[in-house]
Amino acid sequence: GQQLNQSPQSMFIQEGEDVSMNCTSSSIFNTWLWYKQDPGEGPVLLIALYKAGELTSNGRLTAQFGITRKDSFLNISASIPSDVGIYFCAGPNNYGQNFVFGPGTRLSVLP
Amino acid sequence: DTEVTQTPKHLVMGMTNKKSLKCEQHMGHRAMYWYKQKAKKPPELMFVYSYEKLSINESVPSRFSPECPNSSLLNLHLHALQPEDSALYLCASSLAPTSPNMGYEQYFGPGTRLTVT
């Protein structure tokens, strides 16, 4: 089945720094979704992307739908302590119902 | 309002117990989902209900039994679980499972932390 890969697996950054992470697939995705999960909580939807090349922002977050439709990028500008968490990319498989999650990127922000 | 609620927040049960997890949404969504998440892993899809009908069962053992009484409610009945079933159980909902664009946006509840002893 379709699988998603995320890099980096984890990252430690200083508060105020910008962050960039990406998600790749061996097959085409028509939708990319980015979620953030805090420990013990459910994932929270950050950004949804529906068109190849689309660039969408949500506050300090910006995500892009790759032109090849096999990747997506998430950038966080001027990181703050509350950005700490696990960031997952996700999307529907070919049939639209089965949701696939990437393994996640764990972000730590050092004061 | 993008709220999905789940009860209970925490549940400890023995292997011979029967318990139920509950999920509720009032966003008019017609697709609801159960996921299982182990520590440091992404959520794994268990079941999908589409218009109150079970549309996907990802080869989940029969000791997990889902139920969708109406379009707002989703239950997961648990019976004779094993310690390896301990995990965070997440409920999610979306407008519809196959509608283009916004139909794919899934909104998650806070989860039920299940411990099987």
Side-chain angles (χ1 to χ4, degrees), chain A residues 87-106:
Chain A
Y87 291 80
F88 292 106
C89 60
N93 71 358
N94 287 336
Y95 307 104
Q97 290 189 294
N98 193 344
F99 223 54
V100 179
F101 276 82
T105 291
R106 184 179 296 270

Side-chain angles (χ1 to χ4, degrees), chain A residues 29-58:
Chain A
F29 272 67
N30 293 315
T31 300
W32 292 94
L33 302 162
W34 284 94
Y35 287 87
K36 176 181 182 253
Q37 187 174 27
D38 292 331
E41 299 292 331
V44 173
L45 181 62
L46 299 174
I47 291 180
L49 301 161
Y50 294 103
K51 287 172 58 175
E54 179 182 358
L55 187 71
T56 298
S57 293
N58 178 6

Side-chain angles (χ1 to χ4, degrees), chain A residues 37-78:
Chain A
Q37 187 174 27
D38 292 331
E41 299 292 331
V44 173
L45 181 62
L46 299 174
I47 291 180
L49 301 161
Y50 294 103
K51 287 172 58 175
E54 179 182 358
L55 187 71
T56 298
S57 293
N58 178 6
R60 292 178 298 106
L61 277 59
T62 301
Q64 182 158 27
F65 192 138
I67 292 290
T68 65
R69 295 162 72 188
K70 292 184 178 182
D71 58 9
S72 179
F73 303 87
L74 177 69
N75 295 315
I76 306 173
S77 64

